[in-house]
Structure formats: C-alpha cells, structure tokens
Amino acid sequence: VVTDGAGNSDSCVFDLVLSDSTAPQIICPTNVSEYYSQNCDFPVADYSLLLTISDNCDTIFNTVQTPSIGDIIFSDTTIKFVVTDNAGNSDSCFLSLTLSDTIPPSISCPSSQIRYYNSNCEYAIDDFTSQVTISDNCDTLFSISQFPITGSLVQSDTLIKIIVSDATGN
C-alpha cells in the first residue's frame, strides 16, 4: 500500500511462489550378495529399503529401481535407483548385486558292477566316471574324481566313490 501526502493510496497484491530446486541425496549400499535359485536365475528383490535418502523439503519420494522388483536375472547385475522429490528433483545411485551358486550338482551313479579278478587275484579299477549322470542348476562343466583311482589294484569287493564339483566348487 502506498499513500501520498493528500491521503490518496493505491495497493497491489502478488503471490510469492517458493520452489524447491535442491535434489534429494541418495546413498546406496556398495554391494549385496544373493543366491541363484534351483533354476539358476534370481528374481530381483526390492532393495529400495537399503537406501539412505535425505532431502531439504520432502520426506516422501518416488523411487524407481532398474531392473524392477520381480524381474528375472541370470548373472551379477548392477541395480540403478532414481529417487525424485515432489518438486521433480532427482538423484541416482547404483548397487552391485552379486549372485552365488550354492546348490550342489546331482549325480546318479551306475548300478553295481561285476568284474573279474586277474591271474594274481587282483582287479585293476576301471574309470567309472563316464558312467555317471550329472545335472546342475547352473553349470555344464564339472570336475569329476573317482576313489580308488583308475588302475588301483584291489583284492576284494570295493566301494567306488565318485565326487562331482561344479564350477563354483559345490
């Protein structure tokens, strides 16, 4: 309001519009470890609860996680988060998701084998590793060991033990 010496006055009104131009601050954990499923895949979980978010004005944020919750992944993955406040300001961070295979391979051994002694009443153990059937949730290449080892001489019925390890040592 402005008034002159003669008492004449005029006034005006305007709106003061406040705008938030400060982006939220987001902190991601550096690394999260999870485990492959029986199918050698992993459904992505909601990792937004692991975030630390602060902002100058807002307490509720829009958080987008990529890959999304429930997406199926098959290897170590970087997860991206974008956090946006009510004014449209945003920040992002990345989380490294490391997947481990802890499921051992499954092995089917051959049935009992009948073999015959040699002239010294000994038997040289055959290589039975090719007679096993192996399945695994993630791997197709395996380390196979047999005990007693091929060529060992035995003089009585013997239990053959076959050990199979997948690429991650299960």
Side-chain angles (χ1 to χ4, degrees):
V1 176
V2 176
T3 305
D4 64 14
N8 301 309
S9 66
D10 194 11
S11 66
C12 69
V13 177
F14 66 93
D15 289 328
L16 175 62
V17 179
L18 299 176
S19 178
D20 175 9
S21 62
T22 303
Q25 299 296 305
I26 178 174
I27 300 171
C28 279
T30 56
N31 193 11
V32 172
S33 296
E34 298 282 4
Y35 302 96
Y36 284 109
S37 74
Q38 190 70 23
N39 298 321
C40 199
D41 61 14
F42 181 77
V44 176
D46 180 359
Y47 294 106
S48 65
L49 299 176
L50 302 176
L51 303 177
T52 302
I53 305 169
S54 62
D55 189 62
N56 63 327
C57 295
D58 300 316
T59 58
I60 298 175
F61 309 96
N62 179 33
T63 303
V64 176
Q65 173 182 304
T66 308
S68 299
I69 300 163
D71 284 356
I72 303 298
I73 58 173
F74 300 93
S75 63
D76 296 347
T77 301
T78 299
I79 304 216
K80 180 181 181 180
F81 295 93
V82 177
V83 174
T84 306
D85 67 13
N86 292 331
N89 303 304
S90 63
D91 190 17
S92 62
C93 71
F94 299 89
L95 175 147
S96 178
L97 177 61
T98 303
L99 298 174
S100 299
D101 175 17
T102 58
I103 299 173
S106 175
I107 181 173
S108 296
C109 287
S111 58
S112 294
Q113 306 280 311
I114 296 175
R115 297 291 192 267
Y116 299 97
Y117 289 114
N118 65 15
S119 61
N120 295 325
C121 201
E122 297 173 321
Y123 171 72
I125 299 289
D126 290 332
D127 180 358
F128 294 104
T129 59
S130 64
Q131 297 181 34
V132 298
T133 303
I134 305 166
S135 63
D136 189 66
N137 66 321
C138 291
D139 300 312
T140 57
L141 299 175
F142 306 98
S143 169
I144 304 173
S145 304
Q146 171 182 301
F147 300 98
I149 62 172
T150 302
S152 297
L153 296 175
V154 294
Q155 296 173 333
S156 63
D157 293 350
T158 302
L159 182 67
I160 306 294
K161 182 176 184 178
I162 308 261
I163 300 173
V164 175
S165 298
D166 65 15
T168 56
N170 299 310

